[in-house]
């Protein structure tokens, strides 16, 4: 005997399909991950390579042509993902609140922050007092108030690769390294309390000059290496 759906069953079926479709859309919306980048040129380094590539892009969607080894190792390989790129080349810690102005966070979000390099270049590399503590307090306040969790906070790398002969600062290398260590210790303390510490400094000490351009900026390879350091923490979140 052939099955002949009644008008009532047909309407119920359409309604059920509509509910399933709605649930599916809701699941997709809930699964969307937004990656936010805040800070300086460690994350905003697209202008320093011919492809305009920066780490946030690669974390959301790898460029398989440029970096085939990272194929499938990005957020979009695990679900829906988008990027809100707010980091700006040249930024200091005092500019972080401006990057977060009018911030509207919906759904699942991850924040990446790299800051401190420009603060060092603008005077903290010579610090003999409490200025790095002032920096740390400003960063802590920003992190506390940022309405995103988790937060991944990167340390400041050393573009000299630990080689005093590559010192470009006009500051005694011992003083410079001490203040870099003090800054990174402060960043790590904040990260351990409010999020996750990502040790870019240690990772870049394993690198070579090809990771840099314009003396201190991440090159194309450097952008990928910043991505490499953040990647395990991003995909597991």
């Amino acid at each position: 005997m052939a099955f002949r759906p009644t008008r009532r069953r047909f309407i119920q079926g359409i309604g059920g399909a509509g509910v399933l479709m709605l649930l599916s859309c809701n699941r997709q919306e809930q699964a969307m991950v937004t990656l936010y980048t805040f800070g300086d040129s460690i994350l905003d380094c697209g202008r320093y390579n011919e492809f305009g590539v920066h780490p946030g892009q690669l974390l959301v969607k790898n460029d398989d042509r440029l970096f085939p080894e990272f194929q499938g190792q990005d957020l979009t390989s695990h679900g829906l993902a988008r990027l809100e790129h707010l980091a700006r080349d040249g930024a200091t810690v005092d500019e972080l609140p401006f990057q977060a102005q009018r911030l509207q966070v919906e759904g699942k979000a991850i924040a990446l922050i790299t800051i401190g390099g420009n603060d060092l270049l603008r005077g903290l590399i010579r610090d003999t007092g409490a200025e790095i503590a002032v920096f740390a307090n400003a960063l802590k306040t920003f992190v506390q108030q940022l309405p995103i969790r988790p937060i991944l906070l990167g340390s400041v790398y050393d573009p000299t690769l630990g080689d005093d002969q590559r010192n470009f600062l006009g500051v005694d290398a011992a003083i410079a390294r001490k203040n870099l260590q003090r800054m990174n210790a402060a960043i790590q303390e904040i990260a351990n309390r409010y999020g996750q510490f990502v040790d870019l400094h240690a990772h870049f000490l394993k690198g070579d000059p090809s990771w840099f351009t314009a003396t201190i900026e991440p090159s194309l390879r450097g952008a990928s290496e910043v991505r490499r350091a953040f990647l395990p923490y991003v995909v597991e979140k």
Side-chain angles (χ1 to χ4, degrees):
M1 180 176 178
F3 173 74
R4 294 183 179 180
T6 65
R7 182 173 181 271
R8 180 179 178 184
R9 286 175 177 171
F10 180 78
I11 292 173
Q12 287 176 336
I14 292 295
V19 170
L20 289 175
M21 185 177 296
L22 182 60
L23 288 174
S24 177
C25 290
N26 286 340
R27 288 194 192 101
Q28 287 185 347
E29 290 177 0
Q30 291 170 0
M32 173 68 76
V33 177
T34 302
L35 183 71
Y36 291 83
T37 61
F38 300 95
D40 53 25
S41 62
I42 293 180
L43 291 173
D44 186 36
C45 56
R47 60 175 291 198
Y48 296 104
N49 65 77
E50 60 181 308
F51 300 99
V53 169
H54 57 77
Q57 291 174 323
L58 298 175
L59 286 163
V60 171
K61 177 61 178 175
N62 181 55
D63 188 318
D64 294 343
R65 181 175 60 88
L66 293 175
F67 305 106
E69 68 172 300
F70 288 97
Q71 186 172 0
Q73 300 182 56
D74 51 37
L75 283 172
T76 56
S77 296
H78 295 79
L80 297 174
R82 59 186 289 270
L83 175 68
E84 282 288 336
H85 180 58
L86 302 171
R88 290 295 177 265
D89 182 14
T92 63
V93 72
D94 292 334
E95 295 166 56
L96 288 176
F98 296 99
Q99 295 180 9
Q101 281 184 335
R102 297 182 293 277
L103 190 66
Q104 294 183 345
V105 181
E106 297 179 359
K108 186 173 182 180
I110 303 171
L112 274 56
I113 305 173
T114 60
I115 204 71
N118 295 306
D119 299 86
L120 287 168
L121 292 174
R122 296 182 189 184
L124 294 191
I125 201 72
R126 299 178 174 84
D127 183 42
T128 58
E131 291 304 311
I132 289 180
V134 173
F135 163 90
N137 186 62
L139 178 58
K140 181 174 71 172
T141 299
F142 175 75
V143 169
Q144 286 175 326
Q145 296 177 353
L146 189 67
I148 300 173
R149 294 294 185 273
I151 293 174
L152 309 180
L153 192 53
S155 58
V156 181
Y157 60 55
D158 176 5
T160 73
L161 300 171
D163 182 358
D164 289 354
Q165 294 184 356
R166 295 171 58 88
N167 185 359
F168 60 91
L169 294 169
V171 178
D172 183 271
I175 295 174
R177 295 195 194 289
K178 180 179 179 181
N179 283 323
L180 176 60
Q181 291 170 358
R182 289 174 60 205
M183 175 169 283
N184 280 337
I187 291 172
Q188 183 171 12
E189 181 179 355
I190 294 167
N192 290 344
R193 185 171 180 182
Y194 297 101
Q196 173 68 53
F197 180 63
V198 179
D199 199 349
L200 295 176
H201 175 67
H203 180 62
F204 270 70
L205 285 180
K206 303 172 186 176
D208 61 61
S210 72
W211 293 20
F212 303 96
T213 186
T215 306
I216 61 173
E217 309 295 351
S219 64
L220 179 65
R221 172 67 186 276
S224 180
E225 293 301 328
V226 172
R227 174 264 302 274
R228 188 192 299 273
F230 277 102
L231 183 60
Y233 307 102
V234 169
V235 296
E236 76 175 12
K237 300 300 181 184

